[in-house]
Amino acid sequence: MSRKPELRGRAARLARLFPPHSGSGRSGSGQAARTPFVLLVVLLLGGGLIGLLVLNSALSEGSFKLDDLQKETKSLTDQEQALQRDIDAYSAPDALQRRAQELGMVPGGDPAFLAPDGTVKGVPGAAAEQSAVQVVRPPEAMPGTAASPTPTAVPTPSAVPTPAVTPSTEASSATPTPGR
């Protein structure tokens, strides 16, 4: 007399979902209860593998971008160093002097200074004369371009000396002269 207890509430609803098992054991109901669990495990494993594949792809893409950026950084660093060498070569004193001579400049003499009250300190004088060579460039040639022709040197007659300014100790006593 094995009488089953009567189920109520939630237990009764759950009992209706599962068919009554036969007296032969767990062959039918065990298989039916195991199938959703196996499907869940397979889906979780498959999803995990796909997630790992996507993550691995993203990481390898990032490493390729990093490698490209490192190569670009090295290239830009080399370019910066080459430009710095050019700047150093152009700003060397002998290069500046040679370039100034190419432009027809001459070294200046001793400087003279104006004080805030208008007096001249020092003796101003004209720059020392040299055999001046004027560099003539065509107006359409732009310096620094590969297509620009090389400058040609044209000798010029010696420059007319400029009169030296004599220092004046009494700047306020000078009277203006009538215009020409």
Side-chain angles (χ1 to χ4, degrees):
M1 301 191 97
S2 67
R3 189 171 171 244
K4 286 186 173 181
E6 192 175 316
L7 300 174
R8 292 186 190 135
R10 184 173 184 194
R13 284 191 305 244
L14 286 174
R16 276 186 266 145
L17 291 176
F18 297 109
H21 64 297
S22 59
S24 63
R26 304 178 73 192
S27 64
S29 69
Q31 185 68 18
R34 201 177 299 154
T35 304
F37 177 72
V38 170
L39 284 176
L40 178 67
V41 169
V42 168
L43 286 175
L44 285 175
L45 287 175
L49 288 175
I50 290 173
L52 285 175
L53 179 65
V54 169
L55 182 64
N56 190 17
S57 297
L59 288 176
S60 64
E61 181 184 350
S63 70
F64 285 131
K65 284 182 182 178
L66 179 65
D67 188 43
D68 290 342
L69 290 174
Q70 285 175 343
K71 286 179 184 177
E72 184 180 354
T73 301
K74 184 182 182 312
S75 171
L76 290 174
T77 301
D78 292 344
Q79 183 180 5
E80 178 191 16
Q81 289 173 353
L83 290 172
Q84 188 62 44
R85 281 193 304 269
D86 289 345
I87 289 172
D88 292 342
Y90 285 129
S91 64
D94 59 337
L96 287 175
Q97 181 182 8
R98 185 181 69 247
R99 182 77 178 128
Q101 287 175 348
E102 287 174 3
L103 293 174
M105 300 173 92
V106 293
D110 291 333
F113 300 98
L114 290 176
D117 61 355
T119 59
V120 178
K121 296 189 179 201
V123 179
E129 287 187 35
Q130 295 182 357
S131 62
V133 174
Q134 181 181 6
V135 177
V136 177
R137 292 181 188 258
E140 66 274 353
M142 297 190 64
T145 60
S148 67
T150 57
T152 58
V154 178
T156 59
S158 61
V160 177
T162 57
V165 177
T166 57
S168 171
T169 54
E170 296 179 17
S172 61
S173 65
T175 58
T177 58
R180 298 180 198 201

